[in-house]
Amino acid sequence: MSASDWREQLASSVQSTSAESMPGLAPAQLLHVSAADWGKLARVAKELGCRWVAGWGEDRAEEILVNACLEKKGAYMIARARLDHTAVTLPSHTPYYAAASRSERHTRDLVGVHFSEHPDARRWTRHQAWAEHAYPLRKEFAAAGAPPLQTPPDDSYPFLQAHGSGVYEIPVGPVHAGIIEPGHFRFQAVGELVLNLEEHLGYVHKGIEKIAEGRDAAALARLAGRISGDCTVAHTWAACMAMERASSLDVPERAHYVRAIMCERERVANHLGDIGAVLNDVAFTFGFYQFARLREDWTRLSHALLGHRFMMDRIIPGGVAVDLDPAGIDAMREQIRALRPEVEQLIAIAEDNASIEDRLETTGYLDPVLAAELGTLGYVGRASGIDFDVRRDVPYPPYDRLEVAVPVYHYGDVAARVKVRGAETLFAFELIERLLLALPDGSIANPWQPPASELEGIGLVEGWRGEILTYVRFDSAGKITRFYPRDPSWLNWPALEKLMRDNIVPDFPVCNKSVNGSYSGHDL
Amino acid sequence: MLRILGKVRHLGVISESLEPDDEAALTQIGAQLQARVGERFGGSLAIRQVDAGSCNGCELEIHALNNPYYGIERFGVHFVASPRHADMLLVTGPVSRHMEAALRRTYEATPSPKLVIAVGECGACGGEFGISYASCGAVANVIPVDAVIPGCPPTPLALLHGILQAIGRRATR
Ligand code: SF4
């Protein structure tokens, strides 16, 4: 059975107009589904074993569109329902896909689509900055909005409650004790044992989807680079890929390679820093300082060769803004030669240490079945048996020319997540070496041309956290009218709630760090 | 254990082994910082960092201040968990409207006299996000700000420099 057979099966099971291929949306196919069959679509997709990837709404002058993206075996499908402005209701996908829950609540808060049978009627992204029946992503809503003089605190969010003798609650955040992003965590615990953890996010909602509207391609790339600073390269790449597909613009070969080199460098920098931080959370400060040192070395070379410590704004629509010269190529190779044995040695030291083993093994266990149900991505998924990586399974240039090894474990604990990240770091070294070796000659960017008509595109990139899906649509003047970047954190935050259960409260920092969701990437 | 000790011994102290120009700058900034912290904050400057809406890029560089190259603690500067223990707030991001109340409360909880530094383009002027239904823009639009450290994000050296300037300014007020 070919990978795309499920798409035909799915299309024939609901009232739909036959699947179309739109060049900008490749590798996904577009399927128009009747609103009445929207729920059935999810039921059948679930039966067929599809993964729920992303959902987003869009206000078009004449109608409201709701999209849900599904995937199986590297084949993607975007299902789309069209709604009249007077009846903005659709059956929810959440009864079949837990992954859809927060996304649908976000769409409800921002686009004003009501999802019937959604099990959770509470708001999600909206706190107190705009009124309940105002929807920022509707076209009549001005980006400036009409905010109150001072936005009140959001202290009325109805958290789940636990009752029983000895049960108590610990509220944490939004301002945390360390240097980390803001969010609220509500624990219900008995003694040290966590019965339940509930997240309340949205604190760093900056209106990214709204302020994207009306931007030209270059300005959208800059904004995409600030969705989540720690994966600025991957998000900018995904946004540029979506725009380039929409306008059928080719990117020079050399630019593909430089993009991938930067994306792999970003993966290494974050993996190194986070492995150190996990070790720090179990009081192994030696490991923390060693990995922090390597991360700093790595970051400095990015600055020296590519002009920015995090390589922000180096990817532009049509290519890249910075080139590598032979001396730079040598410097990168040299650094990898020096760092590889150090990383190997440090990983071995950490893995052989009994007290680290004691703290990390079985801690924060995410069951593989649950991981699949939640649509968990990246190293969190791969530590719980989910064998998926966009670079290998839906390869985009230059990965279509490379063999990508994907480390997968089934233990599902903090130790496994660290293991995956160690293996990915070492493999990224190899990938960078191969990319440098095969770096094609030629130009590094083609001039940007906006699409001639109102075209759409998607970008799919394996960032260091996992699959990023970005959707763009241009208006007839070549400006952005819809931008939706789905960071992998959307799918991984719910996993943190689940994997904290039956762990002790003091292990929350290490569990949280082992997942390391982006608040900013999620809150948008 | 032997491997750990071996590694530590082999590596030695790296806190000063910066690139030549960086090293000079860091040594100089560090010495000044230490002197001012000594004079004005009894040898210890306590900073509470608040992410009021940042993209997290600024946080990564603030984190870097604690890595062994910059090792900011050796100058008497340390990050504390509560605003009630802080002399200074280091605030990043455009202030999202959803963080506005939390930022005000953090400011109020910080004992006077207190210093506020707005970090990054976003903290300084709203950056790429500006002012909107969801963003208040610059930190100064929400709480009084004593100094800004521009940059997207500012490098660790720029952060050290900015902190130094801010505590210098305090003395002349
Ligand atoms: S200044 Fe730059 S790095 Fe800092 S929060 Fe703003 S966009 Fe992110």
Side-chain angles (χ1 to χ4, degrees):
Chain A
M1 179 171 154
S2 86
S4 53
D5 276 356
W6 68 266
R7 295 199 287 207
E8 286 155 27
Q9 259 178 289
L10 187 59
S12 62
S13 70
V14 290
Q15 280 179 38
S16 60
T17 51
S18 62
E20 319 167 27
S21 282
M22 303 254 296
L25 295 182
Q29 286 181 353
L30 181 65
L31 181 74
H32 288 282
V33 179
S34 76
D37 269 0
W38 191 251
K40 187 175 175 201
L41 172 90
R43 179 167 59 74
V44 177
K46 176 85 187 220
E47 284 164 9
L48 291 172
C50 299
R51 172 171 68 94
W52 201 92
V53 179
W56 65 96
E58 181 182 4
D59 182 13
R60 308 279 293 150
E62 57 299 352
E63 62 194 352
I64 286 190
L65 304 180
V66 178
N67 302 279
C69 181
L70 300 156
E71 181 270 344
K72 186 182 171 185
K73 291 191 181 145
Y76 287 79
M77 173 176 270
I78 294 174
R80 178 170 291 172
R82 327 172 93 131
L83 300 173
D84 196 87
H85 273 96
T86 53
V88 200
T89 298
L90 265 188
S92 167
H93 282 182
T94 307
Y96 309 100
Y97 284 107
S101 177
R102 287 177 181 177
S103 176
E104 288 183 343
R105 289 165 72 190
H106 177 79
T107 302
R108 187 172 61 205
D109 287 355
L110 280 110
V111 191
V113 176
H114 178 72
F115 290 95
S116 58
E117 286 129 61
H118 193 298
D120 194 338
R122 296 174 300 168
R123 59 200 161 75
W124 178 244
T125 307
R126 179 173 66 81
H127 290 192
Q128 304 293 332
W130 67 93
E132 187 175 351
H133 296 294
Y135 305 111
L137 291 179
R138 292 283 183 94
K139 293 297 178 199
E140 72 268 12
F141 189 107
L149 212 51
Q150 286 194 4
T151 303
D154 190 29
D155 39 22
S156 60
Y157 185 76
F159 286 98
L160 294 178
Q161 308 240 296
H163 301 281
S165 89
V167 180
Y168 67 101
E169 281 195 347
I170 313 172
V172 182
V175 180
H176 300 290
I179 304 171
I180 79 168
E181 299 181 76
H184 185 96
F185 300 105
R186 187 67 62 100
F187 297 92
Q188 274 106 22
V190 173
E192 281 201 313
L193 203 68
V194 175
L195 297 179
N196 190 50
L197 162 64
E198 194 180 358
E199 298 155 357
H200 182 210
L201 303 176
Y203 287 91
V204 288
H205 176 69
K206 292 183 278 291
I208 286 174
E209 293 166 89
K210 186 70 182 184
I211 62 173
E213 293 174 10
R215 286 185 178 234
D216 62 18
L220 187 79
R222 274 202 312 278
L223 182 65
R226 286 154 182 83
I227 291 166
S228 180
D230 53 16
C231 49
T232 174
V233 172
H235 266 295
T236 312
W237 192 355
C240 287
M241 190 189 283
M243 293 191 285
E244 288 151 3
R245 281 186 181 149
S247 75
S248 308
L249 178 71
D250 280 337
V251 174
E253 274 296 288
R254 189 173 177 88
H256 286 311
Y257 278 68
V258 177
R259 285 178 174 187
I261 289 167
M262 293 196 286
C263 201
E264 297 305 325
R265 290 192 68 85
E266 180 170 87
R267 191 179 324 276
V268 169
N270 283 286
H271 284 356
L272 289 176
D274 283 356
I275 294 173
V278 165
L279 296 175
N280 195 42
D281 282 338
V282 294
F284 191 61
T285 44
F286 164 81
F288 171 65
Y289 285 112
Q290 293 290 340
F291 279 103
R293 168 179 69 88
L294 298 184
R295 182 192 150 96
E296 179 69 20
D297 286 339
W298 191 255
T299 306
R300 284 180 183 193
L301 194 69
S302 297
H303 186 212
L305 301 181
L306 299 156
H308 190 284
R309 283 165 59 89
F310 304 148
M311 300 162 288
M312 250 179 192
D313 304 329
R314 306 296 109 162
I315 293 181
I316 52 171
V320 289
V322 61
D323 202 358
L324 280 169
D325 60 14
I329 294 173
D330 282 347
M332 266 192 206
R333 286 209 184 109
E334 191 43 51
Q335 188 182 40
I336 290 174
R337 266 198 293 276
L339 242 63
R340 182 185 281 125
E342 288 220 56
V343 173
E344 281 168 349
Q345 185 196 21
L346 289 171
I347 291 176
I349 288 177
E351 280 180 353
D352 291 350
N353 185 307
S355 70
I356 297 176
E357 189 183 353
D358 180 50
R359 291 294 306 278
L360 302 188
E361 290 194 357
T362 71
T363 304
Y365 173 68
L366 180 68
D367 178 69
V369 175
L370 189 57
E373 228 157 74
L374 297 173
T376 316
L377 292 168
Y379 50 82
V380 182
R382 291 192 278 275
S384 288
I386 304 206
D387 189 6
F388 178 75
D389 186 313
V390 186
R391 293 173 299 169
R392 182 197 61 193
D393 300 323
V394 208
Y396 45 101
Y399 297 104
D400 51 356
R401 277 144 255 186
L402 298 161
E403 221 171 283
V404 178
V406 181
V408 178
Y409 295 91
H410 293 81
Y411 312 113
D413 51 10
V414 174
R417 292 190 277 280
V418 171
K419 241 179 155 44
V420 170
R421 300 185 74 176
E424 287 184 7
T425 304
L426 293 170
F427 184 66
F429 287 156
E430 199 181 315
L431 271 182
I432 295 172
E433 285 176 332
R434 281 198 250 154
L435 288 161
L436 289 171
L437 202 64
L439 189 64
D441 290 331
S443 75
I444 54 166
N446 286 334
W448 169 252
Q449 306 146 352
S453 57
E454 305 188 5
L455 287 175
E456 30 186 349
I458 62 166
L460 278 164
V461 166
E462 184 78 21
W464 64 269
R465 279 197 180 86
E467 171 204 60
I468 293 175
L469 179 143
T470 296
Y471 172 84
V472 299
R473 186 200 291 271
F474 287 93
D475 64 14
S476 50
K479 298 285 165 52
I480 298 293
T481 138
R482 183 74 176 104
F483 173 54
Y484 178 68
R486 203 279 285 118
D487 190 88
S489 306
W490 274 96
L491 287 311
N492 288 355
W493 275 119
L496 177 66
E497 283 185 347
K498 302 287 186 262
L499 62 83
M500 258 320 283
R501 287 192 184 160
D502 296 329
N503 281 262
I504 55 172
V505 177
D507 273 346
F508 176 66
V510 71
C511 289
N512 190 15
K513 197 72 214 179
S514 76
V515 174
N516 196 8
S518 168
Y519 301 70
S520 186
H522 166 279
D523 294 354
L524 295 176
Chain B
M1 196 64 212
L2 276 180
R3 271 185 306 177
I4 296 178
L5 293 175
K7 184 95 188 154
V8 170
R9 179 157 175 275
H10 180 71
L11 197 63
V13 177
I14 59 162
S15 295
E16 288 174 355
S17 58
L18 291 171
E19 330 224 322
D21 35 327
D22 268 15
E23 184 181 338
L26 183 63
T27 315
Q28 191 198 1
I29 295 172
Q32 290 173 19
L33 188 57
Q34 197 164 23
R36 295 217 179 132
V37 167
E39 251 167 72
R40 314 202 201 294
F41 294 92
S44 128
L45 173 72
I47 301 181
R48 172 64 248 210
Q49 196 269 333
V50 185
D51 174 344
S54 124
C55 79
N56 80 27
C58 282
E59 275 59 36
L60 291 176
E61 294 297 48
I62 296 173
H63 260 294
L65 292 173
N66 279 321
N67 79 33
Y69 283 106
Y70 303 102
I72 193 170
E73 294 213 351
R74 66 191 150 133
F75 307 126
V77 180
H78 55 117
F79 289 89
V80 293
S82 166
R84 296 183 205 282
H85 305 153
D87 305 305
M88 175 188 281
L89 296 180
L90 210 51
V91 187
T92 62
V95 182
S96 69
R97 298 205 184 267
H98 291 173
M99 275 303 286
E100 188 185 340
L103 178 62
R104 279 184 211 282
R105 286 177 173 181
T106 306
Y107 179 78
E108 281 155 20
T110 312
S112 296
K114 52 194 159 194
L115 275 169
V116 176
I117 303 186
V119 173
E121 293 307 316
C122 295
C125 67
E128 202 59 43
F129 304 100
I131 297 177
S132 72
Y133 78 96
S135 164
C136 305
V139 176
N141 294 343
V142 179
I143 56 172
V145 166
D146 297 277
V148 300
I149 305 178
C152 183
T155 61
L157 273 184
L159 287 165
L160 280 176
H161 213 94
I163 293 170
L164 173 69
Q165 275 185 338
I167 60 179
R169 187 167 318 162
R170 172 107 231 157
T172 57
R173 276 213 312 211

